[in-house]
């Protein structure tokens, strides 16, 4: 059963690969306009949450740059776990995960690697998403938003952005698996949308995410 599901998902992803690449390329402009809209209404945003978020973001980013710390096992583990997550979501059983101290790693799973599994670690900030889920659960239970939540989201966000910068280079084999043209078309808008959504969550929670997507949909409507 899982093999049939895996083959179906792989076939669908392959069939829609070119349309998704074209749509992603065209959607880059509405995504940029959405960011511009947030900048235009910056005085209406939750100023304290934004401040705490950027304190965390700039703090961890500065530490990583000043320490000149190279990519290590922690970043590689998160990278491979993102491969694992998307492999399991697309019905590819994972056979083995290797992570080395020098920053290299590889994930072995059944079936052929799809563009979604290959590119997942380069647009899905696992650490930040996990922190956002934790924050949502905490706020739902406690009915409060302490300062450490937006700071923690900023820390995770900065960590992921720095890791993404380190990971994106011409020798990246995952880009070859997905295809260079598709990667260039897909990754920019995927990162703009994911990072923008997480910033919106840090600023205002779920309502912020809804506003972000409504704004993006508005600009998409005007474009298409």
């Amino acid at each position: 059963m899982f093999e049939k599901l895996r083959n179906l998902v792989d076939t669908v992803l392959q069939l829609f690969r070119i349309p998704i690449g074209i749509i992603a390329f065209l959607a880059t402009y509405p995504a940029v306009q959405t960011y511009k809209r947030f900048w235009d209404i910056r005085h209406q945003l939750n100023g304290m949450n934004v401040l705490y978020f950027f304190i965390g973001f700039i703090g961890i980013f500065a530490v990583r740059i000043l320490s000149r710390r190279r990519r290590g096992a922690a970043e590689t583990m998160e990278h491979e776990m993102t491969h694992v997550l998307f492999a399991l979501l697309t019905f590819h059983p994972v056979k083995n995960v290797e992570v080395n101290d020098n920053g290299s790693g590889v994930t072995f799973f059944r079936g052929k690697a799809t563009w979604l599994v290959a590119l997942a670690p380069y647009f899905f900030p696992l650490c930040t998403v996990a922190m956002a889920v934790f924050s949502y659960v905490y706020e739902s239970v406690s009915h409060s938003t302490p300062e450490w939540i937006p700071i923690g989201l900023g820390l995770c966000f900065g960590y992921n952005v720095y890791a993404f910068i380190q990971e994106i280079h011409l020798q990246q084999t995952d880009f070859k698996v997905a295809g260079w043209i598709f990667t260039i078309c897909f990754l920019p808008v995927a990162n703009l949308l994911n990072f923008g959504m997480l910033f919106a969550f840090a600023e205002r929670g779920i309502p912020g995410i809804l506003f972000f997507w409504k704004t993006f949909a508005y600009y998409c409507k005007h474009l298409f």
Side-chain angles (χ1 to χ4, degrees):
M1 177 181 177
F2 279 99
E3 184 177 357
K4 291 181 179 180
L5 288 172
R6 179 170 67 247
N7 292 336
L8 175 62
V9 171
D10 289 354
T11 300
V12 171
L13 288 174
Q14 184 59 29
L15 285 175
F16 285 92
R17 179 170 169 269
I18 293 178
I20 289 174
I22 294 173
I23 293 173
F25 179 77
L26 295 175
T28 304
Y29 177 76
V32 172
Q33 290 299 108
T34 302
Y35 275 68
K36 184 176 182 297
R37 178 58 179 166
F38 268 77
W39 174 256
D40 291 339
I41 64 169
R42 59 190 180 277
H43 300 299
Q44 302 175 28
L45 301 179
N46 190 326
M48 293 307 298
N49 281 355
V50 172
L51 175 63
Y52 289 136
F53 176 83
F54 278 105
I55 286 175
F57 173 78
I58 295 173
I60 189 64
F61 213 81
V63 169
R64 296 296 299 272
I65 292 176
L66 294 175
S67 65
R68 298 182 180 180
R69 186 178 181 277
R70 294 183 179 180
R71 179 181 174 84
E75 292 89 344
T76 303
M77 176 60 73
E78 183 189 15
H79 179 102
E80 298 305 327
M81 286 300 101
T82 311
H83 279 310
V84 168
L85 174 62
F86 278 80
L88 294 177
L89 289 175
T90 54
F91 306 102
H92 291 75
V94 176
K95 296 189 291 185
N96 187 34
V97 178
E98 294 182 3
V99 176
N100 302 313
D101 292 336
N102 62 1
S104 63
V106 62
T107 298
F108 299 95
F109 50 84
R110 295 187 183 277
K112 185 179 180 181
T114 63
W115 60 265
L116 182 61
V117 176
L119 294 183
Y122 308 95
F123 72 86
F124 188 81
L126 184 61
C127 180
T128 312
V129 171
M131 181 60 190
V133 172
F134 173 79
S135 301
Y136 175 74
V137 173
Y138 181 90
E139 292 173 355
S140 299
V141 174
S142 66
H143 303 289
S144 64
T145 306
E147 293 81 359
W148 59 264
I149 286 183
I151 292 176
L153 285 166
L155 285 169
C156 293
F157 188 80
Y159 168 82
N160 279 134
V161 170
Y162 191 85
F164 282 9
I165 292 173
Q166 286 185 313
E167 291 172 348
I168 296 177
H169 52 79
L170 295 177
Q171 289 74 38
Q172 191 56 258
T173 56
D174 291 327
F175 296 165
K176 297 177 182 178
V177 173
W180 280 102
I181 295 178
F182 178 82
T183 299
I184 293 172
C185 292
F186 178 79
L187 278 189
V189 71
N191 279 294
L192 285 173
L193 293 177
N194 280 336
F195 285 148
M197 181 174 60
L198 289 167
F199 168 78
F201 176 81
E203 184 267 331
R204 202 177 297 272
I206 298 299
I209 293 179
L210 295 177
F211 176 76
F212 178 85
W213 283 110
K214 286 180 181 178
T215 306
F216 175 69
Y218 170 82
Y219 288 114
C220 283
K221 179 181 179 181
H222 280 262
L223 175 65
F224 296 112

